[in-house]
Amino acid sequence: MKAVVMAGGEGTRLRPMTASMPKPLLPVVNKPIMEHVLRLLKRHGLTETVVTVQFLASLVKNYFGDGEELGMELTYANEEKPLGTAGSVKNAEEALRDDAFLVISGDALTDFDLTDLIRFHRERGAMVTVCLTRVPNPLEFGITIVDEDGKVERFLEKPTWGQVFSDTVNTGIYVMEPEVFDYVEPDVPVDWSGDVFPQLMKEGKPIYGYIAEGYWEDVGTHESYVKAQADVLEGKVDAERDGFEISPGVWVAEGAEVHPDAVLRGPLYIGDYAKVEAGSEIREHSVIGSNVVVKSGAFLHRAVVHDNVYIGPQSNLRGCVIGKNTDIMRASRIEDGAVVGDECLIGEESIVQGNVRIYPFKTIEAGAFVNTSVIWESRGQAHLFGARGVSGILNVEITPELAVRLAGAYATTLKKGSTVCTARDHSRGARALKRAIISALQASAIDVRDLENVPLPVARQQTARGSAGGIMIRTTPGVPDSVDIMFFDERGADLSQAGQRKLDRVYARQEYRRAFPGEIGDLSFPSSVYDSYTGSLLRAVDTTGVAESGLKVVVDASNGSAGLVLPSLLGRLGVDALTINPGLDESRPTESAESRRAGLVRLGEIVASARAAFGVRFDPVGERISLVDEHGRIVEDDRALLVMLDLVAAERRSGRVALPVTTTRIAEQVAAYHGTQVEWTTTSPDDLTRVSRDDDATVFGGDGRGGFIVPEFSSVFDGAAAFVRLIGLVARTQLTLSQIDARIPRAHVSRRDLATPWAVKGLVMRTVVEAAGERSVDTTDGVRVVESDGRWVMVLPDPAEAVTHLWAEGPDEASAQALLDEWAAVVDSAGH
């Protein structure tokens, strides 16, 4: 006997899940509903099957093909327009003319005994046998009354409660004889229970009802979809699950990585090649799709997660459905009954309320509170570029495909035949992405000089030597699973705002230039990069007095690429240096605040026991440094800026120093004392770079976070240059770091971040300016309000996140905090 699987429905009640996927392909415990149906047919010997398709038909055909993988023979009958339940079977009449056939829905989950149903049909000599079942709420279904022999006495489609006369409903599973086609008009919409069956009954044809025992769930609503998953997990339905039951009710498919410290409370299912990190908790009735990543601290309960989803740390998912290829970012919360469509981005700390529907390809901003469905409007990313180039989670936001498109767009902004330098840190992710980027550049008629793994300042310096630009890929500082793709201009500085906008436009339009075969770019690997870097550094920076001083220093390369340049540098500097952690550690391309702190504490112990003049610790890409004084005490980054400023200003006695407006105003006192002036810049590193480059009078720049600019050598942050300059200054002043630190007044700057929805950022800034009243206002970056007593507060909206940053400085900690509290209340009142 042949079977007909009805797979043409749109599943409108299941939107947005069915907005980009036909209902029969919706996964139930990681298998499409229709696959469960086909496996049931096969178990009962119905291997020859016709599938009727209409909505998104190609997706169904592509998924199941000819059925060979399931050991079945599948053919397809395509409806050009909806023909109703009977019309779509009539459409497949050619293949069903020979014998009785079984009709079953491709989107209902069941384990009925079809063999017994067919036996009943044949024994009764029925023309049609309707498969019936008993349900507690028959409102959604067609009600059927049968006599004691099973003959149908009455039908009623989708009754109201006032019309309910039975709990026995039509499941849409039928066994039929081919004569039934004589009662179905071709090419017009016809339904079995509304049109054909009443006609058969009027003519006295034998229609029987078979009341089936077993499980049946018409997966027509979100509630029934989530219930179907739970029922499979509970074993209430006889349906196949791939994988292994590693503990009672906990099913794990092949290739899944589940950390032993993850909390799993079954019944639940984890799909193939999913990754569940330590500290996450997955509770009962949750289904995790293939290739899903569940980060530490995430909590899931009754959550159905489709394939290729990223679930960020501390996120909380309860009773919701998440479509495929969606990214749920850190600390998001998705409540009971919510449905998120395919390929969405749910921003950090956002809340999606219960029963909200988010349609595919939407972006929910960080910190957003969503209590109504998001259907049409879609807020894409405003800009590709964040504070550190193009940043995102490796293989979630930053994929090889994105890297190739970005590199193609960048190449398109340059002339054919230009040269671009490429570089990376020592992580595997950066290595893999760099190869993709090099291919894209060459394919766009760009010659590539690949520096491989070098410190960031070396990549910038090499780019400035005759290249049209550069690309560096590094692990995002402090975020080991994220990467930054940094774009440089011909001077090795970060791409200007105008350059970023140009790249943004080409990328958005996807108008990439492609080279003809004879124009493919060259790839070269320059040699002796470090020697040329250290040579020019030592020629530019004053190192007089270093060799005679007998200074002893401890240098911590923190297992990063800074260690690659140190041998060449320290050898030529002629200083007694002890280098620690010089080797590269691929598994740790960046460091957390805690591990950085622990590294500084260890460095301090070594400095104190070795009686060294000071210790310096490089960040993993050699861009920033942290200091430890001769007693082994950590010199905090904001103090290190003042110490370095004091040394430089005392030696130069004139010129300008470039500092961001968030720096303590004590820097002004230090600079003025030694006859130098402060040039205030925005908080953007590009601005510090611009001032240092364009103003010949600039003698120093720094950001208070370990980034120092040595203008006589370069206009960008450079850890090695700052180190060489510091050694020269200390050698010539004959003062220790603690002595210099002690003569600088204490600063009291407090900082706070407040979540602010994008939509009210403008309102927040307007409110702050209005609240400032008569007080002095500085708008170099954000809004800085200066009180009459010299205390100040600064309010700055974040360019990439739904956050507002606040800084406040006062004569002591308490007054700085009080000022911060006062203005945080102003920002809060505008934001809510």
Side-chain angles (χ1 to χ4, degrees):
M1 185 182 279
K2 287 185 179 176
V4 182
V5 174
M6 316 271 285
E10 290 193 32
T12 46
R13 290 179 301 164
L14 279 166
R15 293 194 158 196
M17 282 187 283
T18 52
S20 51
M21 180 194 292
K23 185 176 164 190
L25 287 188
L26 279 182
V28 171
V29 188
N30 279 28
K31 278 192 176 66
I33 305 175
M34 186 170 139
E35 186 173 332
H36 289 293
V37 172
L38 291 173
R39 286 175 183 274
L40 175 71
L41 292 173
K42 190 187 171 197
R43 282 207 297 274
H44 292 281
L46 296 150
T47 53
E48 274 189 79
T49 298
V50 182
V51 182
T52 68
V53 287
Q54 193 244 328
F55 177 67
L56 298 174
S58 60
L59 296 182
V60 177
K61 291 179 184 175
N62 292 346
Y63 188 92
F64 293 105
D66 60 7
E68 188 185 355
E69 276 188 33
L70 292 167
M72 299 180 75
E73 282 179 54
L74 299 186
T75 52
Y76 296 90
N78 209 346
E79 293 173 49
E80 297 304 316
K81 58 179 193 231
L83 294 172
T85 53
S88 60
V89 178
K90 173 80 171 176
N91 195 39
E93 182 179 359
E94 279 302 300
L96 304 168
R97 264 276 165 223
D98 310 334
D99 188 11
F101 55 90
L102 179 134
V103 177
I104 189 167
S105 166
D107 50 25
L109 188 65
T110 182
D111 58 6
F112 286 163
D113 185 346
L114 303 180
T115 306
D116 198 52
L117 168 65
I118 294 164
R119 177 199 57 76
F120 177 93
H121 173 82
R122 289 196 163 136
E123 279 180 3
R124 297 294 189 282
M127 186 177 189
V128 174
T129 300
V130 181
C131 185
L132 307 171
T133 192
R134 296 201 162 96
V135 296
N137 179 356
L139 291 189
E140 287 295 322
F141 310 104
I143 287 178
T144 309
I145 287 274
V146 292
D147 64 18
E148 56 274 12
D149 192 35
K151 202 159 191 185
V152 173
E153 293 181 338
R154 193 173 166 202
F155 282 112
L156 181 63
E157 270 298 285
K158 300 201 175 172
T160 63
W161 269 121
Q163 295 171 306
V164 167
F165 48 76
S166 165
D167 65 350
T168 310
V169 301
N170 178 353
T171 63
I173 302 173
Y174 312 113
V175 182
M176 298 180 164
E177 296 299 323
E179 296 87 73
V180 80
F181 286 127
D182 301 339
Y183 294 85
V184 184
E185 214 181 316
D187 293 324
V188 294
V190 184
D191 274 320
W192 291 122
S193 39
D195 305 314
V196 180
F197 296 163
Q199 184 62 29
L200 292 175
M201 288 174 72
K202 203 185 285 180
E203 294 187 16
K205 301 292 183 195
I207 300 187
Y208 281 82
Y210 169 87
I211 299 176
E213 296 294 324
Y215 180 92
W216 178 79
E217 181 72 54
D218 174 55
V219 184
T221 62
H222 291 287
E223 295 69 32
S224 61
Y225 178 66
V226 174
K227 178 178 181 293
Q229 316 276 346
D231 290 343
V232 173
L233 293 173
E234 293 274 5
K236 290 180 180 173
V237 51
D238 180 11
E240 288 183 34
R241 280 169 285 193
D242 294 338
F244 315 94
E245 194 171 11
I246 58 168
S247 63
V250 175
W251 288 79
V252 177
E254 181 191 358
E257 274 182 59
V258 180
H259 196 282
D261 293 337
V263 178
L264 304 178
R265 305 222 171 139
L268 58 85
Y269 183 89
I270 295 169
D272 51 340
Y273 301 100
K275 185 175 183 192
V276 179
E277 291 193 353
S280 56
E281 182 172 350
I282 303 178
R283 299 286 295 265
E284 52 271 16
H285 300 163
S286 291
V287 176
I288 307 297
S290 303
N291 303 310
V292 168
V293 176
V294 181
K295 300 296 284 181
S296 176
F299 175 90
L300 292 86
H301 184 204
R302 293 192 311 105
V304 179
V305 180
H306 293 181
D307 298 348
N308 304 313
V309 169
Y310 171 85
I311 298 171
Q314 281 82 53
S315 49
N316 191 308
L317 280 65
R318 294 167 188 270
C320 55
V321 179
I322 309 297
K324 63 180 186 293
N325 301 323
T326 283
D327 299 331
I328 311 282
M329 307 313 277
R330 182 186 63 79
S332 319
R333 189 179 182 91
I334 302 178
E335 300 283 3
D336 224 326
V339 181
V340 178
D342 298 347
E343 314 222 11
C344 288
L345 172 67
I346 307 296
E348 291 193 353
E349 296 184 9
S350 51
I351 297 173
V352 178
Q353 282 284 79
N355 301 318
V356 163
R357 306 281 183 258
I358 294 175
Y359 274 62
F361 312 107
K362 300 290 180 283
T363 296
I364 300 301
E365 291 169 353
F369 181 84
V370 185
N371 56 8
T372 55
S373 293
V374 180
I375 299 174
W376 301 118
E377 69 283 1
S378 166
R379 202 200 83 81
Q381 229 180 326
H383 299 290
L384 277 171
F385 286 85
R388 299 175 300 267
V390 180
S391 305
I393 299 165
L394 179 66
N395 277 340
V396 173
E397 294 164 302
I398 305 287
T399 59
E401 299 90 330
L402 176 107
V404 164
R405 292 200 300 271
L406 268 176
Y410 181 56
T412 306
T413 67
L414 305 172
K415 288 191 175 76
K416 277 188 178 182
S418 301
T419 300
V420 167
C421 280
T422 56
R424 62 172 174 87
D425 71 4
H426 55 288
S427 68
R428 286 189 171 190
R431 177 187 294 166
L433 288 177
K434 179 173 66 68
R435 288 173 180 162
I437 281 170
I438 289 172
S439 304
L441 291 171
Q442 288 181 279
S444 299
I446 297 289
D447 294 335
V448 178
R449 292 177 71 228
D450 186 19
L451 305 171
E452 298 180 278
N453 174 19
V454 293
L456 184 50
V458 175
R460 291 184 186 279
Q461 187 235 23
Q462 287 292 316
T463 300
R465 296 190 160 187
S467 293
I471 300 177
M472 168 103 183
I473 303 107
R474 66 154 182 197
T475 306
T476 305
V479 191
D481 54 2
S482 288
V483 286
D484 302 335
I485 302 179
M486 307 176 76
F487 292 88
F488 306 148
D489 63 16
E490 72 283 359
R491 291 178 291 217
D494 289 344
L495 217 50
S496 66
Q497 292 291 326
Q500 289 181 17
R501 279 195 296 273
K502 188 175 178 187
L503 176 48
D504 231 334
R505 276 198 305 274
V506 176
Y507 178 82
R509 290 199 305 261
Q510 304 208 357
E511 294 170 357
Y512 313 132
R513 180 180 68 223
R514 290 284 174 255
F516 299 113
E519 300 175 325
I520 300 291
D522 285 335
L523 174 60
S524 61
F525 300 91
S527 57
S528 59
V529 167
Y530 298 120
D531 287 343
S532 71
Y533 171 80
T534 52
S536 52
L537 173 56
L538 294 175
R539 281 193 298 277
V541 178
D542 185 359
T543 57
T544 53
V546 172
E548 303 78 47
S549 67
L551 279 180
K552 187 180 192 180
V553 293
V554 184
V555 182
D556 184 352
S558 60
N559 299 114
S561 52
L564 300 170
V565 79
L566 287 173
S568 164
L569 182 64
L570 295 171
R572 294 163 76 167
L573 194 56
V575 67
D576 182 6
L578 166 64
T579 304
I580 60 174
N581 300 321
L584 293 174
D585 183 351
E586 256 189 16
S587 66
R588 289 191 301 131
T590 184
E591 51 187 6
S592 63
E594 295 78 30
S595 61
R596 176 174 170 268
R597 194 84 191 164
L600 280 170
V601 170
R602 280 196 300 278
L603 174 62
E605 290 162 359
I606 295 167
V607 167
S609 63
R611 301 218 169 112
F614 62 86
V616 62
R617 186 171 202 270
F618 286 87
D619 76 348
V621 290
E623 187 179 41
R624 297 168 183 274
I625 57 171
S626 303
L627 303 180
V628 169
D629 70 15
E630 73 280 9
H631 303 301
R633 287 193 296 252
I634 297 168
V635 183
E636 300 298 344
D637 286 344
D638 53 347
R639 292 301 289 176
L641 176 66
L642 296 175
V643 167
M644 199 80 143
L645 168 63
D646 186 72
L647 281 164
V648 172
E651 186 166 277
R652 290 299 181 89
R653 299 270 165 196
S654 67
R656 278 199 279 277
V657 293
L659 302 171
V661 282
T662 48
T663 312
T664 167
R665 289 308 177 267
I666 283 166
E668 243 171 357
Q669 297 173 30
V670 172
Y673 180 78
H674 295 301
T676 55
Q677 278 179 302
V678 173
E679 170 97 0
W680 296 112
T681 76
T682 70
T683 51
S684 160
D686 308 355
D687 207 24
L688 270 177
T689 296
R690 182 187 54 75
V691 169
S692 306
R693 182 180 65 228
D694 297 347
D695 186 350
D696 292 338
T698 306
V699 294
F700 172 70
D703 70 350
R705 300 202 314 279
F708 297 102
I709 294 173
V710 180
E712 58 266 38
F713 174 60
S714 78
S715 60
V716 296
F717 293 143
D718 188 329
F723 166 62
V724 170
R725 191 169 193 191
L726 179 63
I727 280 189
L729 290 164
V730 171
R732 292 189 292 278
T733 55
Q734 301 286 305
L735 288 171
T736 64
L737 292 194
S738 64
Q739 287 169 328
I740 298 160
D741 189 13
R743 72 186 188 188
I744 301 170
R746 295 281 124 192
H748 301 283
V749 179
S750 296
R751 182 179 170 170
R752 192 175 301 169
D753 292 345
L754 296 174
T756 311
W758 286 95
V760 298
K761 280 190 175 183
L763 172 64
V764 164
M765 300 316 287
R766 192 184 79 213
T767 308
V768 168
V769 171
E770 287 168 359
E774 297 297 303
R775 285 168 279 210
S776 166
V777 171
D778 169 14
T779 55
T780 305
D781 198 8
V783 174
R784 192 171 75 91
V785 181
V786 186
E787 302 281 345
S788 53
D789 57 6
R791 293 182 306 150
W792 57 270
V793 68
M794 183 167 150
V795 182
L796 177 68
D798 191 285
E801 294 175 22
V803 169
T804 301
H805 306 291
L806 284 83
W807 290 261
E809 181 171 30
D812 54 56
E813 208 62 44
S815 72
Q817 278 297 336
L819 193 60
L820 200 57
D821 290 342
E822 179 189 331
W823 286 91
V826 173
V827 171
D828 251 344
S829 67
H832 291 102

